[in-house]
Amino acid sequence: MTKVTAQLSVSLDGFYAGPQFDGDGDWIDSAEAAGFFRITRWATEAAAWRERLGFAGGERDTNSDVLAETFEAAGAYVMGRRMADGGEVPWGEEPPFRAPVFVVTHRPRETLLRGGGTSFTYVTDGVASAVEQARAVAGGKNVAVAGGGLVRQVLKAGLLDELELHVVPVVLGTGLRLLDADLDLDAKEAIELTPTRVIHTPQVTHIRYAVDGRAPLVLDDRGRGGGPTTTVN
């Protein structure tokens, strides 16, 4: 059955990149890029990643196996316009997705066809529409959501089934945070998740969660043995 999934590398303090690039100068030299490259180093060193981009070398290890599994599981992708625009040139004529990609945007554009089975369809009527269009062509595989800001939107909308965090042992201190205050949670509400797999390596810990959805925060029995009691007022 098709699941809507997301996987993202994050620092120990929850950032997926450095402070957002303001467009002045070259992104590659920005603080945003510096943070991003640090927390994705485990991936770019993996053989599965390098092979997907047509590069030689790389480590054939557990991290590479995790990446290969992720690529294999995806039948379609959803991403934001900022990520799509930023990757259009570096990804070249044969991007690494090898599947249909649906780009959430406010600016219409004709579908962009690339080699290897990748296409970019620009969706202007919201993230839910992009997810449904991706689900329709995924062929029973997963719909993979790419990019931190868009992952938050999908999580906020209750559309995400599975979240995998690749937690890198580094503290960035500031930057683009994956889970932030724009999830529109009530003061006494949370999004509950259930860990389903943990894989530890020296470079990164891979933690997979099933997303259970929104739930009220309730007062437990504070160790008295009776279980949860009542909703906090």
Side-chain angles (χ1 to χ4, degrees):
M1 184 179 69
T2 297
K3 294 184 292 186
V4 180
T5 68
Q7 58 90 26
L8 210 66
S9 294
V10 294
S11 64
L12 193 61
D13 48 347
F15 297 104
Y16 61 89
Q20 184 166 333
F21 178 54
D22 63 7
D24 183 17
D26 190 348
W27 180 83
I28 205 77
D29 296 322
S30 70
E32 180 181 339
F36 174 77
F37 290 137
R38 171 60 188 93
I39 63 168
T40 57
R41 185 186 303 161
W42 69 272
T44 56
E45 291 177 346
W49 175 262
R50 290 174 179 261
E51 288 170 358
R52 195 77 173 193
L53 274 74
F55 302 146
E59 298 294 327
R60 297 190 180 278
D61 55 11
T62 299
N63 293 330
S64 184
D65 292 343
V66 168
L67 278 175
E69 178 188 60
T70 300
F71 284 131
E72 177 59 28
Y77 292 83
V78 177
M79 70 176 58
R81 183 68 182 255
R82 185 169 185 258
M83 181 178 180
D85 285 353
E88 184 173 335
V89 172
W91 291 329
E93 291 300 313
E94 193 165 323
F97 306 103
R98 303 180 188 176
V101 179
F102 295 84
V103 181
V104 181
T105 180
H106 297 295
R107 293 178 285 129
R109 182 180 178 182
E110 292 295 320
T111 297
L112 183 64
L113 300 178
R114 288 290 186 253
T118 299
S119 60
F120 295 91
T121 300
Y122 296 82
V123 180
T124 58
D125 56 347
V127 65
S129 175
V131 168
E132 283 308 305
Q133 291 183 55
R135 190 191 294 274
V137 300
K141 291 188 172 185
N142 294 341
V143 172
V145 181
L150 191 64
V151 170
R152 277 204 308 279
Q153 290 184 49
V154 176
L155 183 62
K156 174 180 172 180
L159 300 172
L160 193 65
D161 300 310
E162 183 179 280
L163 175 64
E164 185 158 18
L165 297 182
H166 310 292
V167 183
V168 178
V170 64
V171 175
L172 294 183
T174 186
L176 297 175
R177 188 183 293 278
L178 174 58
L179 302 174
D180 219 330
D182 59 356
L183 291 170
D184 287 349
L185 291 167
D186 292 339
K188 294 177 181 177
E189 181 185 39
I191 297 174
E192 297 281 354
L193 303 94
T194 301
T196 60
R197 188 178 78 172
V198 179
I199 299 174
H200 173 71
T201 76
Q203 299 83 16
V204 57
T205 300
H206 311 279
I207 310 175
R208 180 177 294 173
Y209 298 92
V211 180
D212 301 324
R214 294 174 182 247
L217 295 171
V218 297
L219 180 64
D220 62 29
D221 67 355
R222 313 312 297 153
R224 290 191 293 271
T229 54
T230 185
T231 302
V232 178
N233 295 317

